[in-house]
Amino acid sequence: RGEIGPGIQNFLIPPDDFEDFCAPDKLTGTRYWPKMLCDDDGLHCLLGSSGGPGEGCSEAGQYGQCAPPIDTKFEATFGTRGQPCSGVSSKDCDFIDVSLVDGWTLPFRLSISGECSGPNNMHPSEIDCSGLTFEQCPTDEVLGQQKYNMQAHYRGYGSVAGCYSP
């Protein structure tokens, strides 16, 4: 288990299960991402170990054993619990970003509890990308004048590990 960020790092969530995260007030720039096929300590994973602080695949700056850098990510900055988000200052607002900008590795669903409002007074309660499959990843995406296979493969294994974004 790593020592980076608040709470326990690298813990197992069984298939089709979930984990509730309780973020401390004013937690800024935090990031969560799934990992699979890891050792017993949640390190050296074939999926999700794309490098970064505390990741076993990047010991001594050697990123050659890391998974492709396309992890499905949930990034957030949290304000102060119970305080209104005034819009004037971001210090009491919660901001979330479910990022597929680099690509994605695993399907996910983010359920939001409590009061939440987005642009145009929208009140999202869930972001559901649970239907993502590797079969949906294009193998002949046309970018400019060329076709590209957007499937990312495990280094040294050859099987599909995720899908790059175009």
Side-chain angles (χ1 to χ4, degrees), residues 131-151:
L132 293 173
T133 66
F134 291 154
E135 289 78 27
Q136 294 170 317
C137 187
T139 57
D140 58 356
E141 181 78 10
V142 177
L143 299 173
Q145 301 287 326
Q146 291 186 279
K147 288 186 179 182
Y148 293 90
N149 181 350
M150 303 308 287
Q151 292 181 339

Side-chain angles (χ1 to χ4, degrees), residues 14-98:
D16 298 321
D17 206 348
F18 65 93
E19 182 70 25
D20 288 327
F21 294 96
C22 186
D25 286 348
K26 299 183 181 179
L27 176 64
T28 60
T30 189
R31 181 180 289 173
Y32 303 91
W33 69 93
K35 301 193 299 185
M36 285 182 59
L37 306 170
C38 308
D39 66 18
D40 289 340
D41 294 321
L43 299 171
H44 301 74
C45 308
L46 290 180
L47 189 118
S49 283
S50 59
E55 292 298 312
C57 73
S58 59
E59 292 168 352
Q62 300 297 317
Y63 288 89
Q65 299 303 310
C66 295
I70 57 169
D71 303 315
T72 299
K73 295 178 190 77
F74 164 70
E75 300 169 312
T77 292
F78 297 101
T80 304
R81 192 178 326 278
Q83 297 297 312
C85 179
S86 66
V88 176
S89 169
S90 63
K91 69 179 183 176
D92 290 322
C93 300
D94 295 338
F95 296 93
I96 62 168
D97 175 20
V98 176

Side-chain angles (χ1 to χ4, degrees), residues 115-139:
E115 285 189 39
C116 179
S117 62
N120 302 320
N121 238 2
M122 293 173 46
H123 300 281
S125 61
E126 186 172 80
I127 298 170
D128 189 354
C129 293
S130 60
L132 293 173
T133 66
F134 291 154
E135 289 78 27
Q136 294 170 317
C137 187
T139 57

